[in-house]
């Protein structure tokens, strides 16, 4: 949701900023822009659409600068246009600003500033910041920004510069993420680490309320009241290559194929097959408190919400602890009754999703023990949680989440197993059995992913279908939802996920020969019921894509060889079956979107991390 980059140092700022923006394009791609200063002259260049348009413009008419800022936009206020593209400037063209977030009181501020004579030229909320700082500027940008922040309501990551204050950037954070990259006589600012990994591994993470003044030789970090804060930098150990495509055509395909590794890494060091126990020491003191948990509230958004639904099933089935699931955006606006001994588990790949964070904070305020399942070390949620279970999926770049999802399910599985053992509701023997089968999952996933090549028949058919229905039951009902979401996100085909048992209460009316129905049919408790649901579809002339376990002999009997399709995955314990059943659905969505000519890694209107409510 908007990406920001800033640079001060001795290099030409433009390529540094553009390269950084490329790594942040997952955050938005409605427009892109840069503003740089050279010899006291401020120059801006902005283009609608993807970063490549800005790059074309810079190639045609190059810009250079000693310091500057850049932005890639996910539009909130004002349609995507060159005029609305960041950086925005004040009336005199001396101050420029880039922003990620929403200034909620921009209208009253705009009215006031316009009455004072400020000329507004965009429909954005951000432009008000440039004019507000201009109105407060008395020769010291830091002072003006600080006073402006006192008037802003909403959330923001902001970076500003003044053309007459050379080699200086001022940044502030309240909500959306911002990091400072530390170099030798050069410093960087960015919304996310990958933007700067080619230049540095050393980062300072800004907290809410922080203001930072960055020059080539110094980084002055202060809190909202202006007090200087000392904070240790963190060294990032990931390999920048992990954030590259590595020979795959798209990040999404690479990330689908990385899932066996992501699951293996998420299990690593946490399971003891010999002692039949799960070790989650990283939860620290919070681990002890788990024992007292009488109830678990899971909060999340998007794909992570689907992982939470699987988590509910696992917590109830494996740990026998009552669990409920909320959308981050809904939790706060009902009246959540957080009883004693409640655990709130937030599931978020990025650790920055505004709705999830807001729900998490509310649950914490109401007395729940806050635990995070997160893929980004050092992200906002990990700093607010009493304990974090990191998923080790590695950086996920494709906007449609894949490897983070399966890693989240594994983290939830570990939590359920640990809770079961701590509460005494899971025997050591059963825990060992479950761990043994969980440990085999990465290998089984590798086997399942080998089907990649066979998806073409499905993709050919599906890319011409305007609608689809996904059916699942039990622990695989959330996988039906996730399969439908993947299809919607990247192919723009309308797809609905439904609990198969509910089909007769409505969706059955949609079934005819033109509606592809994906049915998740692994062997297990609800296998016979799923078979009946498939029969119901077939009886109405529907066409089915069934996902079964290898060796299944029944499903094929109710399908028609020339009209239906079957994909099978290796058999596994039913509780872990979502980890395998989701793979063909991810591949199906991917290949369908590619065949339909969609932009798989950057689907329209979406952003990877959504830092506004
Ligand atoms: C956005 C992304 C989804 C993601 C959701 C939650 O909508 O496009 O892929 O599932 O945010 O993100 P989180 O980082 O909290 O898991």
């Amino acid at each position: 949701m908007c990406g920001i980059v800033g640079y001060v140092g001795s290099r030409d700022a433009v390529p540094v900023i553009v390269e950084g923006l490329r790594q942040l394009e997952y955050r938005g791609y409605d427009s892109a822009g840069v503003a740089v200063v050279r010899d006291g002259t401020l120059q801006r260049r902005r283009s609608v659409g993807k970063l490549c348009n800005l790059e074309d413009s810079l190639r045609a008419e190059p810009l250079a600068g000693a310091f500057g800022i850049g932005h890639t936009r996910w539009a909130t206020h004002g349609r995507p246009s060159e005029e609305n593209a960041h950086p925005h400037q004040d009336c005199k063209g001396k101050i420029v600003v880039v922003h990620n977030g929403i200034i909620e009181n921009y209208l009253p501020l705009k009215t006031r500033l316009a009455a004072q004579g400020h000329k507004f030229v965009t429909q954005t909320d951000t432009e008000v910041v440039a004019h507000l700082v201009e109105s407060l500027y008395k020769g010291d940008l830091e002072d003006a920004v600080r006073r402006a922040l006192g008037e802003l309501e909403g959330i923001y990551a902001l970076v500003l510069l003044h053309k007459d204050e050379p080699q200086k950037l001022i940044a502030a954070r309240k909500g959306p993420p911002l990091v400072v990259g530390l170099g030798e006589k050069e410093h960087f600012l960015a919304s996310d680490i990958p933007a700067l990994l080619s230049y540095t591994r050393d980062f300072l993470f800004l907290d809410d309320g922080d203001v930072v003044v960055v020059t080539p030789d110094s980084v002055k970090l202060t809190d909202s009241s202006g007090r200087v804060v000392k904070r240790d930098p963190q060294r990032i150990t990931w390999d920048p290559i992990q954030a590259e495509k590595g020979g795959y055509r798209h990040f999404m395909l690479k990330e689908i194929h990385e899932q066996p590794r992501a699951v293996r890494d998420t299990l690593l060091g946490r399971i003891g097959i010999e002692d039949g126990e799960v070790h989650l020491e990283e939860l620290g003191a919070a681990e002890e408190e788990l024992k007292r948990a009488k109830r678990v509230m899971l909060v999340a958004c998007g794909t992570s919400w689907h992982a939470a639904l699987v988590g509910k099933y696992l917590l109830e089935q494996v740990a026998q602890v009552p669990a409920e699931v909320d959308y981050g955006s809904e939790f706060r606006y009902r009246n959540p009754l957080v009883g004693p001994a409640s655990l709130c588990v937030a599931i978020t790949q990025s650790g920055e999703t505004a709705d999830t964070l807001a729900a998490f904070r509310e649950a914490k305020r109401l007395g729940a023990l806050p635990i995070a399942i997160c893929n980004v070390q050092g992200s906002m949620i990990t700093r607010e949680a009493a304990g974090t279970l990191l998923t080790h999926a590695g950086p996920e770049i494709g906007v449609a989440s894949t490897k983070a999802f399966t890693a989240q399910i594994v983290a939830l599985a570990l939590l359920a197993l640990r809770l079961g053992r701590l509460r005494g509701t899971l025997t050591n023997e059963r825990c060992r059995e479950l761990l043994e089968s969980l440990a085999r999952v990465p290998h089984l996933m590798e086997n399942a992913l080998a089907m990649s090549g066979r998806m073409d028949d499905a993709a050919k058919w599906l890319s011409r279908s305007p609608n689809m229905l996904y059916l699942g039951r039990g622990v695989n009902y959330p996988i039906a939802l996730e399969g439908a979401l993947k299809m919607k996100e990247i192919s723009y085909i309308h797809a609905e996920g439904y609990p198969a048992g509910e089909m007769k209460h409505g969706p059955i009316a949609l079934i005819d020969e033109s509606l592809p129905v994906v049915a998740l049919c692994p062997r297990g408790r609800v296998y016979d019921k799923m078979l009946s649901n498939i029969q119901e579809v077939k009886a109405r002339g529907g066409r089915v894509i069934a996902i079964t376990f290898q060796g299944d002999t029944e499903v094929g009997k109710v399908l028609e060889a020339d009209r239906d399709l079957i994909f099978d995955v290796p058999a596994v314990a039913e509780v872990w079956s979502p980890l395998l059943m989701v793979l063909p659905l991810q591949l199906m969505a991917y290949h369908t979107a590619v065949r339909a000519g969609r932009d798989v890694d950057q689907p329209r209107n979406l952003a990877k991390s959504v830092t506004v409510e």
Side-chain angles (χ1 to χ4, degrees):
M1 170 128 331
C2 297
I4 291 176
V5 181
Y7 176 74
V8 280
S10 54
R11 306 175 201 236
D12 177 3
V14 176
V16 175
I17 292 169
V18 170
E19 177 52 35
L21 292 179
R22 186 172 305 121
Q23 306 298 333
L24 295 182
E25 244 195 323
Y26 72 86
R27 302 181 69 85
Y29 28 84
D30 288 332
S31 64
V34 291
V36 289
V37 181
R38 185 155 82 161
D39 303 329
T41 306
L42 174 71
Q43 284 188 287
R44 266 193 313 169
R45 183 72 53 77
R46 300 169 300 161
S47 300
V48 185
K50 295 196 165 194
L51 184 66
C52 55
N53 298 345
L54 178 68
E55 288 177 293
D56 287 347
S57 155
L58 288 168
R59 247 189 309 274
E61 229 180 298
L63 263 193
F67 68 111
I69 55 182
H71 187 270
T72 174
R73 178 169 187 239
W74 186 81
T76 60
H77 293 54
R79 66 188 174 81
S81 66
E82 187 172 325
E83 191 175 74
N84 288 330
H86 300 218
H88 293 296
Q89 64 182 23
D90 65 341
C91 298
K92 298 189 210 77
K94 290 188 169 193
I95 296 167
V96 278
V97 58
V98 286
H99 170 215
N100 171 196
I102 291 179
I103 306 299
E104 284 165 2
N105 60 338
Y106 83 103
L107 271 177
L109 288 173
K110 188 169 174 174
T111 310
R112 190 187 85 200
L113 290 159
Q116 290 166 7
H118 288 267
K119 294 269 172 297
F120 284 83
V121 294
T122 80
Q123 293 119 33
T124 67
D125 53 333
T126 306
E127 191 187 4
V128 84
V129 179
H131 293 284
L132 182 61
V133 173
E134 178 182 32
S135 73
L136 299 166
Y137 188 76
K138 307 242 166 11
D140 180 354
L141 183 62
E142 181 185 347
D143 174 66
V145 169
R146 233 177 246 296
R147 288 196 285 140
L149 294 177
E151 296 196 42
L152 298 182
E153 286 166 21
I155 58 159
Y156 47 76
L158 289 165
V159 186
L160 297 98
L161 63 82
H162 191 297
K163 79 180 187 68
D164 297 337
E165 297 193 32
Q167 294 283 8
K168 189 195 280 181
L169 301 176
I170 318 274
R173 174 187 186 174
K174 184 178 156 203
L178 207 52
V179 297
V180 184
L182 308 170
E184 274 291 309
K185 296 209 172 304
E186 60 179 354
H187 289 119
F188 310 80
L189 285 156
S191 300
D192 197 3
I193 294 163
L196 308 180
L197 275 182
S198 2
Y199 308 103
T200 182
R201 295 295 185 88
D202 296 316
F203 288 87
L204 262 187
F205 293 90
L206 296 200
D207 272 344
D208 264 359
D210 283 351
V211 176
V212 67
V213 183
V214 175
T215 71
D217 305 304
S218 64
V219 174
K220 184 173 98 181
L221 180 62
T222 53
D223 64 15
S224 50
S225 58
R227 256 191 310 269
V228 173
V229 176
K230 280 253 155 285
R231 189 169 305 144
D232 290 334
Q234 291 194 29
R235 175 148 271 246
I236 298 302
T237 49
W238 348 305
D239 185 347
I241 297 300
Q242 281 192 302
E244 301 290 336
K245 276 188 207 151
Y248 285 92
R249 185 164 165 203
H250 296 100
F251 276 113
M252 183 180 177
L253 188 60
K254 173 185 175 241
E255 288 160 2
I256 288 173
H257 283 276
E258 279 178 336
Q259 289 177 104
R261 201 265 314 135
V263 167
R264 215 172 261 130
D265 286 357
T266 303
L267 290 173
L268 199 71
R270 290 167 167 165
I271 59 173
I273 307 277
E274 262 111 76
D275 63 0
E277 298 293 354
V278 169
H279 305 279
L280 302 178
E281 283 89 13
E282 69 238 62
L283 289 179
E287 203 196 5
E288 254 311 288
E289 287 191 51
L290 293 183
K291 208 181 298 179
R292 288 189 286 279
K294 291 211 167 65
R295 173 166 160 256
V296 183
M297 293 171 302
L298 300 150
V299 292
C301 300
T303 288
S304 301
W305 185 77
H306 296 153
L309 290 177
V310 175
K312 171 184 161 69
Y313 183 97
L314 299 180
L315 286 160
E316 292 180 347
Q317 177 81 12
V318 174
Q320 292 175 40
V321 57
E324 57 188 270
V325 181
D326 263 287
Y327 285 112
S329 55
E330 287 293 319
F331 182 80
R332 271 197 320 158
Y333 300 107
R334 57 183 181 84
N335 184 28
L337 302 175
V338 178
S342 294
L343 194 66
C344 175
V345 181
I347 302 150
T348 164
Q349 187 283 129
S350 62
E352 306 287 348
T353 301
D355 288 324
T356 304
L357 272 168
F360 192 61
R361 287 174 184 149
E362 179 64 1
K364 195 171 159 180
R365 192 184 67 79
L366 294 170
L369 176 69
I371 301 287
I373 291 180
C374 183
N375 196 40
V376 181
Q377 190 174 8
S379 62
M380 204 63 196
I381 210 140
T382 63
R383 279 178 281 146
E384 297 190 11
T388 298
L389 210 50
L390 281 176
T391 46
H392 296 293
E396 191 179 63
I397 310 294
V399 165
S401 183
T402 51
K403 63 175 179 173
F405 175 67
T406 37
Q408 286 167 343
I409 293 177
V410 170
L412 284 158
L414 294 174
L415 184 67
L417 291 162
R418 184 70 188 132
L419 265 174
R421 291 297 297 137
L422 283 169
R423 289 162 51 81
T425 43
L426 179 67
T427 64
N428 183 247
E429 199 189 340
R430 178 74 183 133
C431 187
R432 180 178 300 121
E433 256 171 50
L434 287 170
L435 284 176
E436 273 169 8
S437 68
L438 185 56
R440 279 198 298 274
V441 164
H443 175 67
L444 301 179
M445 285 176 125
E446 274 155 11
N447 176 323
L449 286 167
M451 79 182 69
S452 201
R454 293 198 297 119
M455 275 295 162
D456 229 42
D457 290 348
K460 224 178 281 170
W461 166 24
L462 299 176
S463 59
R464 294 192 305 266
S465 305
N467 296 295
M468 288 181 67
L469 184 61
Y470 287 69
L471 300 176
R473 281 175 179 259
V475 72
N476 283 299
Y477 156 53
I479 300 306
L481 297 181
E482 175 59 10
L485 179 65
K486 286 286 90 78
M487 190 59 86
K488 274 187 278 224
E489 282 180 309
I490 59 169
S491 72
Y492 317 149
I493 292 170
H494 170 240
E496 271 197 71
Y498 240 80
E502 276 291 299
M503 181 176 67
K504 54 190 174 290
H505 299 294
I508 200 161
L510 299 173
I511 288 171
D512 61 16
E513 63 291 341
S514 69
L515 181 81
V517 178
V518 178
L520 302 176
C521 215
R523 279 257 172 217
R525 287 212 289 199
V526 289
Y527 178 77
D528 291 338
K529 305 264 178 235
M530 276 305 303
L531 269 183
S532 307
N533 295 132
I534 292 178
Q535 302 263 28
E536 286 158 15
V537 173
K538 292 306 302 169
R540 285 154 184 88
R543 292 181 66 183
V544 171
I545 301 174
I547 317 293
T548 66
F549 277 165
Q550 283 166 8
D552 187 283
T553 50
E554 301 307 304
V555 175
K557 290 184 190 156
V558 296
L559 298 185
E560 299 166 272
D562 54 338
R563 296 187 73 238
D564 304 311
L565 288 170
I566 301 187
F567 293 99
D568 55 18
V569 297
V572 68
E574 188 180 12
V575 277
W576 312 139
S577 60
L579 293 166
L580 287 145
M581 299 305 279
V582 76
L583 303 179
L585 306 194
Q586 295 169 340
L587 287 168
M588 204 186 292
Y590 172 79
H591 287 285
T592 302
V594 170
R595 187 161 265 276
R598 305 299 188 210
D599 190 340
V600 171
D601 283 334
Q602 294 175 342
R604 69 184 179 204
N605 304 339
L606 297 178
K608 178 107 195 114
S609 74
V610 182
T611 52
V612 296
E613 283 187 43

